[in-house]
Amino acid sequence: STGASEDPSVTLFREYLRIDTVHPKPDYLGLACQKVEVCQGRVVLILTWQGTNPRLRSVLLNSHTDVVPVFEEHWTYPPFEAVKDSQGNIYARGAQDMKCVSIQYLEAIRRLKAEGKCFARTIHLTFVPDEEVGGHKGMEMFVQRPEFRALNVGFALDEGLASPSDTFSVFYGEKSPWWIKVKCAGSPGHGSRFISNTAAEKMHKVITSFLAFRESEKQRLKSDSSLTLGDVTSLNLTMLEGGVSFNVVPSEMAASFDIRIPPTVDLKAFEEQVAAWCRGAGDGVTYEFHQKCMDQHVTSTEESDPWWKAFSGVCRDMKLQLKLEIFPAATDSRYIRAAGHPAIGFSPMNCTPVLLHDHNEFLNEQVFLRGIDIYARLLPALASVPPLPAEG
C-alpha cells in the first residue's frame, strides 16, 4: 500500500518509532500538559483530560518512552526506520515495547474527544523514562512525589505482552526480583596440592543447590499445562567471579543469581531456604542482596471489583478472550501497585509473536488499529466507574 492511503494513526505510530527515543510532544490533543523532572535529565510528561467530577479518583494510562538497545546486524530492516512490509508489519525497536500503547492511548482519546464525549473521571497519561533499566530514575521516583499524589489515581493501565494466540494476555501482578550474590571464603594455597576446605568446593555445593531448585521449578512448569512462567520461580546463575592465577587456589569466590519469585510464594520461607543452601555448603559462605523486592501486591480480578468489572465487561462485549497471568519479568506497574493503586498490564496485541527486546521487533498495523478500538471502549468504561464508597 502507498503512504497516501495509510491510516493517520499508523503514520503517527511510525513517526514516533523513528524517534530514537525522546519524548513525544502530543500537545495537539488540547490536553493539559505538565512536565516533572524526577531527577537530573529524567522527565515525566503528564497529559490530562479533565473529568466532569474531578473529586473522583482518576484513571492513569502509563507508558514508557525508552527502548532497549539494538544489535543492528541482526535486523532485516533498520530498527529506527519503522519500515512497513507488504503484510502491514511495522518493524522497529519499540513497536511492541511499548510505543504502540502510547500512541493507542492518544489516538483513542483523540477519537473520543472528536465525538464530543466527556466522562466523570479524569484521565491522565504519563510518559515515563528509564523503565528499561529498572525505573529507578522514572516511575519509582515519580510515585514518591507530590505531583504523582496530586493525580489522585484510582486505577492504572500499563504495558503487558503480545500473545501469539488469539487470546489477550492481562497481567494482575508481578514477580519479586531478588538479585543475590553468594560469597564463599576458603583456604588458599598452591595449585599443585589438595587443599582442604577451599572456596571452590563450597561454591560447587552452592551452585548445585541453587541449580537443582531451578531444575525442579522448570520441571514443575513443564509438567502442568495450567501454569505459566509467571507462576513459578525462575532462577539463573548470571555471574561468576574469583581466582587470581592458574596455580593459586583462591581464598574467595562469588556467584550472582537472578531470581524472580511469584506473589504466591512466602518470601520469608524462601529466604530461609537460600540461607539453608548457603549453610549446607560449609563455613564462610555468606549471601548479600543487590536487589530484594518485597512487595507482593496483586490487583483484584474479582467481578465484584468495580475497576475489574469495567475492564472485563468491555472485553466480554468485544468478545476478547483474556488470559490472566502474573507478569514474568518486571514493569513500572510494580511501583504503582506498591503505592497502593490497582494496576493492570495490558498491551492489546494478539496473534503476534512476543518480540520485546528481540531482533526484528514488529507489530502489524491491523493489530495496532484494533488496539485503538479496544482503548476507545475501555477508557469510557473506566472513566465512568460510579463513585466508590471511599469517594462518597
Side-chain angles (χ1 to χ4, degrees):
S1 65
T2 60
S5 66
E6 185 171 78
D7 187 297
S9 303
V10 174
T11 308
L12 179 68
F13 175 40
R14 293 173 71 191
E15 282 171 8
Y16 185 25
L17 288 168
R18 291 183 188 119
I19 305 171
D20 181 3
T21 286
V22 296
H23 275 287
K25 300 241 179 348
D27 303 334
Y28 50 77
L29 288 184
L31 300 173
C33 176
Q34 185 189 3
K35 294 189 173 104
V36 179
E37 190 163 9
V38 291
C39 66
Q40 182 70 42
R42 296 285 187 285
V43 176
V44 174
L45 176 69
I46 308 165
L47 299 180
T48 298
W49 187 13
Q50 190 76 37
T52 56
N53 186 350
R55 288 200 318 283
L56 298 179
R57 290 185 170 274
S58 66
V59 175
L60 176 67
L61 308 177
N62 183 57
S63 62
H64 63 81
T65 56
D66 57 321
V67 293
V68 292
V70 290
F71 300 96
E72 225 168 301
E73 64 275 17
H74 295 290
W75 285 68
T76 310
Y77 303 105
F80 293 102
E81 282 186 17
V83 170
K84 185 168 74 175
D85 71 11
S86 58
Q87 272 82 59
N89 294 326
I90 297 163
Y91 288 84
R93 173 58 84 227
Q96 294 186 14
D97 182 11
M98 65 175 293
K99 292 182 173 181
C100 49
V101 173
S102 304
I103 302 298
Q104 286 165 331
Y105 290 156
L106 287 166
E107 292 298 280
I109 287 177
R110 183 211 292 277
R111 186 182 301 178
L112 294 167
K113 288 191 74 164
E115 290 166 2
K117 300 278 187 358
C118 55
F119 308 104
R121 293 178 186 274
T122 295
I123 296 175
H124 298 290
L125 297 94
T126 46
F127 300 86
V128 302
D130 209 59
E131 191 276 342
E132 294 293 7
V133 286
H136 308 301
K137 293 181 173 178
M139 187 57 84
E140 187 176 19
M141 294 183 97
F142 182 47
V143 296
Q144 308 297 332
R145 294 182 59 111
E147 292 94 338
F148 177 83
R149 285 192 284 280
L151 298 180
N152 190 26
V153 174
F155 179 81
L157 288 179
D158 196 6
E159 67 184 318
L161 289 174
S163 162
S165 71
D166 56 2
T167 65
F168 290 83
S169 300
V170 174
F171 300 94
Y172 60 91
E174 296 199 357
K175 290 179 164 178
S176 299
W178 281 16
W179 293 351
I180 297 177
K181 186 174 195 172
V182 180
K183 291 182 177 170
C184 300
S187 309
H190 196 278
S192 63
R193 300 175 56 231
F194 286 111
I195 310 287
S196 56
N197 202 34
T198 62
E201 292 165 293
K202 296 171 190 179
M203 181 54 77
H204 181 218
K205 285 181 180 164
V206 166
I207 291 174
T208 300
S209 299
F210 275 72
L211 293 190
F213 171 74
R214 178 186 193 271
E215 185 59 29
S216 70
E217 288 293 281
K218 188 174 143 190
Q219 291 308 325
R220 192 159 73 86
L221 175 61
K222 202 169 145 186
S223 64
D224 183 345
S225 61
S226 74
L227 296 178
T228 66
L229 183 55
D231 297 314
V232 299
T233 300
S234 65
L235 181 152
N236 281 292
L237 170 55
T238 51
M239 288 185 286
L240 266 178
E241 300 154 72
V244 288
S245 171
F246 264 102
N247 60 355
V248 175
V249 174
S251 61
E252 189 176 270
M253 301 190 86
S256 300
F257 298 92
D258 179 344
I259 310 173
R260 315 272 174 137
I261 312 164
T264 46
V265 170
D266 178 333
L267 295 178
K268 195 164 169 290
F270 188 79
E271 185 173 354
E272 281 163 12
Q273 177 66 78
V274 168
W277 290 334
C278 292
R279 274 198 308 278
D283 60 336
V285 179
T286 56
Y287 65 92
E288 62 187 38
F289 284 95
H290 285 243
Q291 180 169 220
K292 187 186 190 184
C293 176
M294 296 299 289
D295 180 73
Q296 292 188 298
H297 279 88
V298 291
T299 297
S300 172
T301 54
E302 299 294 322
E303 285 302 321
S304 59
D305 180 87
W307 298 109
W308 179 252
K309 190 174 162 213
F311 184 95
S312 61
V314 166
C315 295
R316 243 191 327 277
D317 293 345
M318 296 186 79
K319 300 189 167 42
L320 311 180
Q321 289 286 114
L322 303 183
K323 189 163 191 285
L324 293 177
E325 295 181 53
I326 296 292
F327 199 80
T331 72
D332 281 335
S333 293
R334 68 189 185 281
Y335 301 122
I336 299 172
R337 289 192 192 102
H341 309 290
I344 288 290
F346 178 64
S347 296
M349 302 182 281
N350 64 343
C351 307
T352 302
V354 179
L355 291 170
L356 77 167
H357 300 197
D358 210 335
H359 315 312
N360 290 322
E361 179 181 349
F362 76 85
L363 183 60
N364 185 274
E365 67 179 336
Q366 293 310 317
V367 176
F368 169 77
L369 290 168
R370 175 91 168 113
I372 298 173
D373 297 340
I374 293 169
Y375 284 121
R377 297 278 294 273
L378 279 174
L379 301 187
L382 292 167
S384 304
V385 165
L388 308 173
E391 298 171 323

